[in-house]
Coordinates of all heavy atoms in Angstrom, one line a residue:
M1125 N 13.4 -9.4 -6.7 CA 13.0 -8.9 -7.9 C 11.8 -9.7 -8.5 O 11.8 -10.9 -8.5 CB 14.1 -9.0 -8.9 CG 14.0 -8.2 -10.2 SD 14.0 -6.4 -9.8 CE 14.2 -5.7 -11.3
I1126 N 10.9 -9.0 -9.1 CA 9.6 -9.6 -9.6 C 9.8 -10.1 -11.0 O 10.4 -9.4 -11.8 CB 8.5 -8.5 -9.7 CG1 8.2 -8.1 -8.2 CG2 7.3 -9.1 -10.3 CD1 7.3 -6.9 -8.1
H1127 N 9.4 -11.2 -11.3 CA 9.3 -11.7 -12.7 C 7.9 -11.9 -13.0 O 7.3 -13.0 -12.7 CB 10.1 -13.1 -12.9 CG 10.3 -13.4 -14.2 ND1 9.2 -13.8 -15.1 CD2 11.4 -13.4 -15.0 CE1 9.8 -14.1 -16.3 NE2 11.0 -13.9 -16.3
I1128 N 7.3 -10.9 -13.5 CA 5.9 -10.7 -13.7 C 5.2 -11.8 -14.6 O 4.2 -12.4 -14.4 CB 5.4 -9.4 -14.1 CG1 4.0 -9.1 -14.0 CG2 5.9 -9.0 -15.7 CD1 3.5 -9.2 -12.6
G1129 N 6.0 -12.2 -15.6 CA 5.6 -13.2 -16.5 C 5.4 -14.6 -15.8 O 4.4 -15.2 -16.2
K1130 N 6.3 -14.9 -15.0 CA 6.1 -16.2 -14.2 C 4.9 -16.2 -13.3 O 4.2 -17.2 -13.2 CB 7.4 -16.4 -13.4 CG 8.5 -16.9 -14.3 CD 9.8 -17.2 -13.3 CE 10.9 -17.7 -14.1 NZ 12.2 -18.0 -13.4
L1131 N 4.7 -14.9 -12.7 CA 3.5 -14.8 -11.8 C 2.2 -14.9 -12.6 O 1.2 -15.5 -12.0 CB 3.6 -13.5 -11.2 CG 4.7 -13.2 -10.1 CD1 4.8 -11.9 -9.6 CD2 4.5 -14.3 -8.9
I1132 N 2.2 -14.3 -13.8 CA 1.0 -14.5 -14.7 C 0.8 -15.9 -15.0 O -0.3 -16.4 -15.0 CB 1.1 -13.5 -15.9 CG1 1.1 -12.2 -15.5 CG2 0.1 -13.9 -16.9 CD1 1.6 -11.1 -16.5
E1133 N 1.8 -16.6 -15.5 CA 1.8 -18.0 -15.9 C 1.2 -18.9 -14.7 O 0.3 -19.7 -14.8 CB 3.1 -18.5 -16.4 CG 3.1 -20.0 -16.8 CD 4.4 -20.5 -17.3 OE1 5.5 -19.9 -17.1 OE2 4.4 -21.5 -17.9
E1134 N 1.8 -18.7 -13.5 CA 1.4 -19.4 -12.3 C -0.1 -19.2 -12.0 O -0.8 -20.1 -11.6 CB 2.2 -19.0 -11.1 CG 3.6 -19.5 -11.2 CD 4.5 -18.8 -10.0 OE1 4.0 -18.0 -9.1 OE2 5.8 -19.1 -10.1
E1135 N -0.5 -18.0 -12.2 CA -2.0 -17.6 -11.8 C -2.8 -18.4 -13.0 O -3.9 -18.9 -12.6 CB -2.2 -16.2 -11.9 CG -3.7 -15.7 -11.7 CD -4.2 -16.3 -10.3 OE1 -3.4 -16.5 -9.3 OE2 -5.4 -16.4 -10.0
L1136 N -2.4 -18.3 -14.1 CA -3.2 -19.0 -15.3 C -3.3 -20.5 -14.9 O -4.3 -21.1 -15.1 CB -2.5 -18.8 -16.6 CG -3.4 -19.2 -17.8 CD1 -4.6 -18.4 -18.0 CD2 -2.4 -19.2 -19.1
R1137 N -2.2 -21.1 -14.6 CA -2.2 -22.5 -14.2 C -3.1 -22.8 -13.0 O -3.8 -23.8 -12.9 CB -0.9 -23.1 -14.0 CG 0.1 -22.8 -15.1 CD 0.2 -23.9 -16.1 NE 1.2 -23.5 -17.2 CZ 0.9 -23.4 -18.5 NH1 -0.4 -23.6 -18.8 NH2 1.8 -23.2 -19.4
R1138 N -3.0 -21.9 -11.9 CA -3.8 -22.1 -10.7 C -5.2 -22.1 -11.0 O -6.0 -22.8 -10.4 CB -3.4 -20.9 -9.7 CG -4.1 -21.2 -8.3 CD -3.9 -19.9 -7.4 NE -4.8 -18.8 -7.9 CZ -6.0 -18.7 -7.8 NH1 -6.7 -19.8 -7.2 NH2 -6.8 -17.7 -8.1
Q1139 N -5.6 -21.3 -12.0 CA -7.1 -21.2 -12.4 C -7.4 -22.3 -13.3 O -8.6 -22.4 -13.8 CB -7.4 -19.7 -13.0 CG -7.3 -18.7 -12.0 CD -7.6 -17.3 -12.7 OE1 -8.4 -17.3 -13.7 NE2 -7.3 -16.3 -12.0
E1140 N -6.4 -23.0 -13.7 CA -6.7 -24.2 -14.7 C -7.2 -23.7 -16.0 O -8.1 -24.4 -16.6 CB -7.5 -25.3 -14.1 CG -6.9 -25.9 -12.8 CD -7.8 -26.9 -12.1 OE1 -9.0 -27.1 -12.6 OE2 -7.3 -27.7 -11.2
R1141 N -6.7 -22.6 -16.4 CA -7.0 -22.1 -17.8 C -6.0 -22.4 -18.8 O -4.8 -22.5 -18.4 CB -7.1 -20.5 -17.7 CG -8.1 -20.0 -16.6 CD -9.5 -20.0 -17.1 NE -10.4 -19.3 -16.2 CZ -11.6 -19.1 -16.4 NH1 -12.1 -19.7 -17.5 NH2 -12.4 -18.5 -15.5
S1142 N -6.4 -22.5 -20.0 CA -5.4 -22.9 -21.0 C -4.8 -21.6 -21.6 O -5.3 -20.5 -21.5 CB -6.2 -23.7 -22.2 OG -7.0 -22.8 -22.9
V1143 N -3.6 -21.8 -22.3 CA -3.0 -20.7 -23.0 C -3.9 -20.3 -24.2 O -3.9 -19.0 -24.3 CB -1.6 -21.2 -23.5 CG1 -1.0 -20.2 -24.4 CG2 -0.7 -21.5 -22.2
S1144 N -4.6 -21.2 -24.8 CA -5.5 -20.8 -25.9 C -6.6 -19.9 -25.4 O -6.9 -18.9 -26.0 CB -6.1 -22.1 -26.6 OG -5.0 -22.9 -27.1
W1145 N -7.2 -20.2 -24.2 CA -8.1 -19.4 -23.6 C -7.7 -18.0 -23.3 O -8.4 -17.1 -23.7 CB -8.7 -20.1 -22.3 CG -9.7 -19.2 -21.5 CD1 -11.1 -19.2 -21.8 CD2 -9.4 -18.3 -20.5 NE1 -11.6 -18.2 -20.8 CE2 -10.5 -17.7 -20.1 CE3 -8.2 -17.9 -20.0 CZ2 -10.6 -16.7 -19.1 CZ3 -8.3 -17.0 -19.0 CH2 -9.5 -16.3 -18.5
F1146 N -6.5 -17.9 -22.7 CA -5.9 -16.7 -22.4 C -5.6 -15.8 -23.7 O -5.9 -14.6 -23.7 CB -4.6 -16.9 -21.6 CG -4.1 -15.8 -20.9 CD1 -4.9 -14.9 -20.2 CD2 -2.7 -15.5 -20.9 CE1 -4.4 -13.8 -19.5 CE2 -2.2 -14.4 -20.3 CZ -3.0 -13.6 -19.6
A1147 N -5.1 -16.5 -24.7 CA -4.8 -15.9 -25.9 C -6.0 -15.2 -26.5 O -6.0 -14.1 -27.0 CB -4.1 -16.8 -26.9
K1148 N -7.1 -16.0 -26.4 CA -8.3 -15.5 -27.0 C -8.8 -14.3 -26.3 O -9.3 -13.3 -27.0 CB -9.4 -16.7 -26.9 CG -10.7 -16.3 -27.6 CD -11.6 -17.5 -27.6 CE -13.0 -17.2 -28.3 NZ -13.9 -18.3 -28.2
K1149 N -8.8 -14.3 -25.0 CA -9.2 -13.1 -24.1 C -8.3 -12.0 -24.4 O -8.8 -10.8 -24.3 CB -9.1 -13.6 -22.7 CG -10.1 -14.6 -22.3 CD -11.5 -14.0 -22.3 CE -12.5 -15.1 -21.8 NZ -13.9 -14.5 -21.8
L1150 N -7.0 -12.2 -24.7 CA -6.2 -11.1 -24.9 C -6.2 -10.6 -26.4 O -5.5 -9.6 -26.8 CB -4.7 -11.4 -24.5 CG -4.3 -11.4 -23.1 CD1 -2.9 -12.0 -22.9 CD2 -4.4 -10.1 -22.5
Y1151 N -6.9 -11.3 -27.2 CA -6.9 -11.1 -28.7 C -5.5 -11.1 -29.3 O -5.1 -10.2 -30.1 CB -7.5 -9.7 -29.0 CG -8.9 -9.5 -28.5 CD1 -9.2 -8.9 -27.3 CD2 -10.0 -10.2 -29.1 CE1 -10.5 -8.8 -26.8 CE2 -11.3 -10.1 -28.6 CZ -11.5 -9.4 -27.5 OH -12.8 -9.2 -27.0
C1152 N -4.8 -12.2 -29.0 CA -3.5 -12.4 -29.6 C -3.2 -13.9 -29.8 O -4.1 -14.8 -29.5 CB -2.4 -11.9 -28.6 SG -2.1 -12.8 -27.1
D1153 N -2.1 -14.2 -30.4 CA -1.7 -15.7 -30.6 C -1.1 -16.3 -29.3 O -0.6 -15.6 -28.5 CB -0.6 -15.7 -31.8 CG -1.2 -15.2 -33.0 OD1 -2.3 -15.3 -33.3 OD2 -0.3 -14.7 -33.7
R1154 N -1.2 -17.6 -29.3 CA -0.6 -18.4 -28.2 C 1.0 -18.0 -28.1 O 1.4 -18.0 -27.0 CB -0.7 -19.9 -28.5 CG -2.3 -20.2 -28.3 CD -2.5 -21.8 -28.7 NE -1.7 -22.6 -27.7 CZ -0.9 -23.6 -28.0 NH1 -0.8 -23.9 -29.3 NH2 -0.3 -24.3 -27.2
T1155 N 1.6 -17.7 -29.2 CA 3.1 -17.5 -29.1 C 3.2 -16.2 -28.3 O 4.3 -16.1 -27.7 CB 3.7 -17.4 -30.5 OG1 2.9 -16.4 -31.3 CG2 3.7 -18.7 -31.2
N1156 N 2.4 -15.3 -28.5 CA 2.5 -14.0 -27.7 C 2.4 -14.2 -26.2 O 3.0 -13.6 -25.4 CB 1.4 -12.9 -28.1 CG 1.7 -12.4 -29.6 OD1 2.8 -12.8 -30.1 ND2 0.9 -11.7 -30.1
V1157 N 1.4 -15.2 -25.9 CA 1.2 -15.4 -24.4 C 2.5 -16.1 -23.8 O 3.0 -15.7 -22.8 CB 0.0 -16.4 -24.3 CG1 0.0 -17.0 -22.9 CG2 -1.3 -15.8 -24.7
Y1158 N 3.1 -17.0 -24.6 CA 4.3 -17.6 -24.2 C 5.4 -16.6 -24.0 O 6.3 -16.6 -23.1 CB 4.8 -18.7 -25.1 CG 4.0 -20.0 -24.9 CD1 3.1 -20.4 -25.9 CD2 3.9 -20.7 -23.7 CE1 2.4 -21.5 -25.9 CE2 3.1 -21.8 -23.6 CZ 2.3 -22.2 -24.7 OH 1.5 -23.3 -24.6
S1159 N 5.4 -15.6 -24.9 CA 6.4 -14.4 -24.8 C 6.1 -13.6 -23.5 O 7.1 -13.2 -22.8 CB 6.2 -13.5 -26.0 OG 6.9 -12.3 -25.9
I1160 N 4.9 -13.5 -23.2 CA 4.5 -12.7 -21.9 C 5.1 -13.5 -20.7 O 5.6 -12.9 -19.8 CB 3.0 -12.5 -21.8 CG1 2.5 -11.5 -22.7 CG2 2.6 -12.1 -20.3 CD1 1.0 -11.4 -22.9
F1161 N 4.9 -14.8 -20.7 CA 5.4 -15.6 -19.6 C 6.9 -15.4 -19.4 O 7.4 -15.6 -18.3 CB 5.2 -17.1 -19.9 CG 3.7 -17.4 -19.8 CD1 3.3 -18.7 -20.4 CD2 2.8 -16.7 -19.3 CE1 1.9 -19.1 -20.4 CE2 1.4 -17.0 -19.3 CZ 1.0 -18.2 -19.9
K1162 N 7.7 -15.1 -20.4 CA 9.1 -14.9 -20.4 C 9.6 -13.6 -19.9 O 10.7 -13.4 -19.6 CB 9.8 -15.3 -21.7 CG 9.6 -16.8 -22.1 CD 10.2 -16.9 -23.5 CE 10.0 -18.3 -24.0 NZ 10.5 -18.5 -25.3
R1163 N 8.6 -12.6 -19.8 CA 9.0 -11.3 -19.6 C 9.2 -11.0 -18.1 O 8.4 -11.4 -17.2 CB 7.9 -10.3 -20.0 CG 7.7 -10.3 -21.5 CD 6.6 -9.3 -21.9 NE 6.3 -9.5 -23.3 CZ 5.3 -8.8 -23.8 NH1 4.5 -8.0 -23.2 NH2 5.0 -9.1 -25.1
S1164 N 10.2 -10.3 -17.7 CA 10.4 -9.8 -16.3 C 9.8 -8.6 -16.0 O 9.6 -8.1 -14.9 CB 11.9 -9.8 -16.0 OG 12.6 -8.9 -16.8
S1165 N 9.4 -7.8 -17.0 CA 8.7 -6.6 -16.9 C 7.6 -6.5 -18.0 O 7.7 -7.2 -19.0 CB 9.6 -5.4 -17.0 OG 10.2 -5.3 -18.2
I1166 N 6.5 -5.6 -17.8 CA 5.5 -5.6 -18.8 C 4.9 -4.2 -18.8 O 4.9 -3.5 -17.8 CB 4.4 -6.7 -18.4 CG1 3.5 -6.9 -19.5 CG2 3.8 -6.4 -17.1 CD1 2.6 -8.1 -19.3
D1167 N 4.3 -3.8 -20.0 CA 3.6 -2.6 -20.0 C 2.4 -2.5 -19.2 O 1.7 -3.5 -19.0 CB 3.1 -2.5 -21.6 CG 2.4 -1.3 -21.9 OD1 2.9 -0.1 -22.0 OD2 1.1 -1.4 -21.9
T1168 N 2.2 -1.4 -18.5 CA 1.1 -1.3 -17.5 C -0.2 -1.5 -18.2 O -1.2 -2.0 -17.6 CB 1.1 0.2 -16.8 OG1 1.1 1.2 -17.8 CG2 2.4 0.2 -15.9
E1169 N -0.5 -1.1 -19.4 CA -1.8 -1.2 -20.0 C -2.1 -2.7 -20.2 O -3.2 -3.2 -20.0 CB -1.9 -0.4 -21.3 CG -3.3 -0.5 -21.9 CD -3.4 0.4 -23.3 OE1 -2.6 1.3 -23.4 OE2 -4.3 0.0 -24.0
L1170 N -1.1 -3.5 -20.7 CA -1.2 -4.9 -20.8 C -1.4 -5.5 -19.5 O -2.3 -6.4 -19.4 CB 0.0 -5.5 -21.6 CG 0.0 -7.0 -21.8 CD1 -1.3 -7.4 -22.5 CD2 1.3 -7.4 -22.5
L1171 N -0.7 -5.1 -18.5 CA -0.8 -5.7 -17.2 C -2.2 -5.5 -16.6 O -2.9 -6.3 -15.9 CB 0.2 -5.1 -16.2 CG 0.3 -5.8 -14.9 CD1 0.6 -7.3 -15.0 CD2 1.4 -5.2 -14.0
L1172 N -2.8 -4.3 -16.9 CA -4.2 -4.1 -16.4 C -5.2 -4.9 -17.1 O -6.0 -5.5 -16.4 CB -4.5 -2.5 -16.8 CG -5.9 -2.2 -16.4 CD1 -6.3 -2.3 -14.9 CD2 -6.3 -0.7 -16.9
R1173 N -5.1 -5.1 -18.5 CA -5.9 -6.1 -19.1 C -5.8 -7.5 -18.6 O -6.7 -8.2 -18.4 CB -5.5 -6.1 -20.6 CG -6.0 -4.8 -21.3 CD -5.5 -4.7 -22.8 NE -5.9 -5.8 -23.5 CZ -5.2 -6.4 -24.5 NH1 -4.0 -5.8 -24.8 NH2 -5.6 -7.5 -25.2
I1174 N -4.6 -7.9 -18.4 CA -4.3 -9.3 -17.8 C -4.9 -9.3 -16.3 O -5.5 -10.4 -16.0 CB -2.8 -9.6 -17.8 CG1 -2.3 -9.8 -19.1 CG2 -2.5 -10.8 -16.9 CD1 -0.8 -9.8 -19.3
S1175 N -4.8 -8.3 -15.6 CA -5.4 -8.3 -14.2 C -6.9 -8.5 -14.2 O -7.4 -9.2 -13.5 CB -5.0 -7.1 -13.5 OG -3.6 -7.0 -13.3
I1176 N -7.5 -7.9 -15.2 CA -8.9 -7.9 -15.4 C -9.4 -9.3 -15.8 O -10.3 -9.9 -15.4 CB -9.4 -6.8 -16.4 CG1 -9.3 -5.4 -15.7 CG2 -10.9 -7.1 -16.8 CD1 -9.5 -4.2 -16.6
I1177 N -8.7 -9.9 -16.9 CA -9.0 -11.1 -17.4 C -8.8 -12.3 -16.3 O -9.7 -13.1 -16.2 CB -8.1 -11.5 -18.7 CG1 -8.5 -10.5 -19.8 CG2 -8.2 -12.9 -19.1 CD1 -7.4 -10.6 -21.0
L1178 N -7.8 -12.2 -15.6 CA -7.6 -13.2 -14.6 C -8.1 -12.9 -13.2 O -8.0 -13.6 -12.3 CB -6.1 -13.5 -14.5 CG -5.4 -14.1 -15.7 CD1 -3.9 -14.3 -15.5 CD2 -6.0 -15.4 -16.1
N1179 N -8.7 -11.7 -13.2 CA -9.3 -11.2 -11.9 C -8.3 -11.3 -10.7 O -8.6 -11.9 -9.7 CB -10.6 -12.1 -11.6 CG -11.4 -11.4 -10.5 OD1 -11.5 -10.2 -10.4 ND2 -12.1 -12.2 -9.6
R1180 N -7.1 -10.7 -11.1 CA -6.0 -10.8 -10.0 C -5.3 -9.5 -10.2 O -4.9 -9.1 -11.3 CB -5.1 -11.9 -10.4 CG -3.9 -12.0 -9.5 CD -4.2 -12.7 -8.1 NE -3.1 -12.8 -7.4 CZ -2.6 -13.9 -6.8 NH1 -3.2 -15.0 -7.0 NH2 -1.6 -13.9 -6.0
N1181 N -5.1 -8.7 -9.1 CA -4.3 -7.6 -9.1 C -2.8 -7.8 -9.2 O -2.2 -7.9 -8.1 CB -4.7 -6.7 -8.0 CG -4.0 -5.3 -7.9 OD1 -3.2 -5.0 -8.9 ND2 -4.3 -4.5 -7.0
F1182 N -2.2 -7.8 -10.4 CA -0.8 -8.0 -10.5 C 0.0 -6.8 -10.1 O 1.2 -6.9 -9.8 CB -0.5 -8.5 -11.9 CG -0.9 -9.9 -12.2 CD1 -2.0 -10.1 -12.9 CD2 -0.2 -11.0 -11.7 CE1 -2.5 -11.4 -13.1 CE2 -0.6 -12.3 -12.0 CZ -1.8 -12.5 -12.7
F1183 N -0.6 -5.6 -10.1 CA 0.1 -4.5 -9.6 C 0.4 -4.6 -8.2 O 1.4 -3.9 -7.7 CB -0.8 -3.3 -9.8 CG -1.0 -2.9 -11.3 CD1 -2.1 -3.3 -11.9 CD2 -0.1 -2.2 -12.0 CE1 -2.3 -3.0 -13.3 CE2 -0.2 -1.9 -13.3 CZ -1.4 -2.3 -14.0
S1184 N -0.3 -5.3 -7.4 CA 0.0 -5.5 -6.0 C 1.4 -6.0 -5.7 O 2.0 -5.7 -4.7 CB -1.0 -6.4 -5.3 OG -0.9 -7.7 -5.8
Y1185 N 1.9 -6.8 -6.6 CA 3.3 -7.3 -6.5 C 4.3 -6.2 -6.5 O 5.4 -6.2 -5.8 CB 3.7 -8.4 -7.5 CG 2.9 -9.6 -7.4 CD1 1.7 -9.8 -8.3 CD2 3.2 -10.6 -6.5 CE1 1.0 -11.1 -8.2 CE2 2.4 -11.7 -6.4 CZ 1.3 -12.0 -7.2 OH 0.6 -13.1 -7.2
Y1186 N 4.0 -5.2 -7.4 CA 5.0 -4.1 -7.5 C 4.8 -3.2 -6.3 O 5.7 -2.6 -5.8 CB 4.7 -3.3 -8.7 CG 5.1 -4.0 -10.0 CD1 4.2 -4.7 -10.8 CD2 6.6 -4.1 -10.4 CE1 4.6 -5.5 -11.9 CE2 7.0 -4.8 -11.4 CZ 6.0 -5.5 -12.2 OH 6.4 -6.2 -13.3
L1187 N 3.6 -3.1 -5.8 CA 3.4 -2.2 -4.6 C 4.2 -2.8 -3.3 O 4.7 -2.2 -2.6 CB 1.9 -2.1 -4.3 CG 1.5 -1.3 -3.1 CD1 2.1 0.2 -3.3 CD2 0.0 -1.2 -2.9
Q1188 N 4.0 -4.1 -3.4 CA 4.7 -4.9 -2.3 C 6.2 -4.6 -2.3 O 6.9 -4.4 -1.4 CB 4.4 -6.3 -2.4 CG 4.8 -7.1 -1.1 CD 4.3 -8.6 -1.2 OE1 4.2 -9.1 -2.3 NE2 3.9 -9.2 -0.2
E1189 N 6.7 -4.7 -3.6 CA 8.2 -4.6 -3.8 C 8.6 -3.1 -3.4 O 9.6 -2.8 -2.8 CB 8.5 -4.7 -5.3 CG 10.0 -4.5 -5.7 CD 10.7 -5.8 -5.6 OE1 10.2 -6.8 -5.2 OE2 11.9 -5.7 -6.0
L1190 N 7.8 -2.1 -3.8 CA 8.0 -0.7 -3.5 C 8.0 -0.6 -1.9 O 8.9 0.1 -1.4 CB 6.9 0.2 -4.1 CG 7.1 1.7 -3.8 CD1 8.3 2.3 -4.3 CD2 5.9 2.4 -4.3
N1191 N 7.1 -1.1 -1.2 CA 7.1 -1.0 0.2 C 8.2 -1.7 0.8 O 8.8 -1.2 1.8 CB 5.7 -1.6 0.8 CG 4.5 -0.8 0.5 OD1 4.6 0.4 0.3 ND2 3.4 -1.4 0.4
N1192 N 8.7 -2.7 0.3 CA 9.9 -3.4 0.9 C 11.2 -2.5 0.7 O 12.0 -2.4 1.5 CB 10.1 -4.8 0.2 CG 9.1 -5.8 0.6 OD1 8.5 -5.7 1.6 ND2 9.0 -6.8 -0.2
C1193 N 11.2 -1.8 -0.5 CA 12.3 -0.9 -0.8 C 12.2 0.3 0.3 O 13.4 0.7 0.7 CB 12.3 -0.4 -2.1 SG 12.8 -1.7 -3.4
K1194 N 11.1 0.7 0.5 CA 11.0 1.9 1.5 C 11.4 1.5 2.9 O 12.2 2.2 3.6 CB 9.5 2.4 1.5 CG 9.1 3.2 0.3 CD 7.7 3.6 0.5 CE 7.2 4.4 -0.8 NZ 5.8 4.8 -0.6
V1195 N 11.2 0.2 3.3 CA 11.6 -0.2 4.5 C 13.0 -0.3 4.6 O 13.7 0.1 5.6 CB 10.9 -1.6 4.9 CG1 11.5 -2.1 6.1 CG2 9.4 -1.3 5.1
I1196 N 13.7 -0.9 3.7 CA 15.1 -1.0 3.6 C 15.8 0.4 3.5 O 16.7 0.6 4.3 CB 15.6 -1.8 2.3 CG1 15.0 -3.2 2.4 CG2 17.0 -1.8 2.1 CD1 15.2 -4.1 1.1
T1197 N 15.3 1.3 2.8 CA 15.8 2.7 2.7 C 15.7 3.4 4.1 O 16.6 4.1 4.5 CB 15.1 3.5 1.7 OG1 15.2 2.8 0.4 CG2 15.7 4.8 1.5
T1198 N 14.6 3.1 4.8 CA 14.4 3.7 6.1 C 15.3 3.2 7.1 O 15.9 4.0 7.9 CB 12.9 3.5 6.5 OG1 12.1 4.1 5.5 CG2 12.7 4.2 7.9
I1199 N 15.6 1.9 7.1 CA 16.5 1.3 8.0 C 17.9 1.8 7.8 O 18.6 1.9 8.8 CB 16.4 -0.3 7.9 CG1 15.0 -0.7 8.3 CG2 17.5 -1.0 8.7 CD1 14.7 -2.2 8.1
T1200 N 18.4 1.9 6.6 CA 19.8 2.3 6.3 C 20.1 3.7 6.3 O 19.4 4.6 6.7 CB 20.2 1.8 5.0 OG1 19.3 2.3 3.9 CG2 20.3 0.2 4.9

């Protein structure tokens, strides 16, 4: 199961970007960013904005999950 908030937080840290920088790019408060990190799911429009800001396709994690489910369904 994907925990998208953790993946976003990991990418932000990997890029050595601050929470303040990210909040500014998202036009929100730092507290909202910490809230995003705690989310196991996220609105697609917000995920698109985050993907653009961090230059990382976070949708690919869901596509990978979907493909894994298809393989499991085909096998059983």
Side-chain angles (χ1 to χ4, degrees):
M1125 193 67 168
I1126 297 168
H1127 191 291
I1128 195 66
K1130 286 182 182 180
L1131 294 171
I1132 292 166
E1133 182 178 17
E1134 288 170 7
E1135 181 61 23
L1136 186 68
R1137 305 270 182 241
R1138 189 190 71 74
Q1139 292 185 20
E1140 298 180 352
R1141 303 282 190 175
S1142 70
V1143 171
S1144 297
W1145 173 86
F1146 193 46
K1148 186 176 179 181
K1149 294 289 186 179
L1150 282 174
Y1151 301 104
C1152 69
D1153 295 330
R1154 290 176 61 225
T1155 55
N1156 291 356
V1157 171
Y1158 289 113
S1159 172
I1160 290 169
F1161 293 162
K1162 293 177 183 175
R1163 297 181 193 175
S1164 60
S1165 64
I1166 195 167
D1167 176 77
T1168 55
E1169 186 174 335
L1170 178 56
L1171 189 59
L1172 177 60
R1173 289 175 51 214
I1174 291 169
S1175 293
I1176 292 167
I1177 291 167
L1178 294 178
N1179 195 32
R1180 175 83 182 233
N1181 182 357
F1182 289 99
F1183 292 96
S1184 67
Y1185 293 102
Y1186 289 102
L1187 183 58
Q1188 190 174 38
E1189 180 91 356
L1190 179 62
N1191 288 335
N1192 289 341
C1193 290
K1194 285 180 181 179
V1195 169
I1196 292 169
T1197 304
T1198 305
I1199 293 172
T1200 54

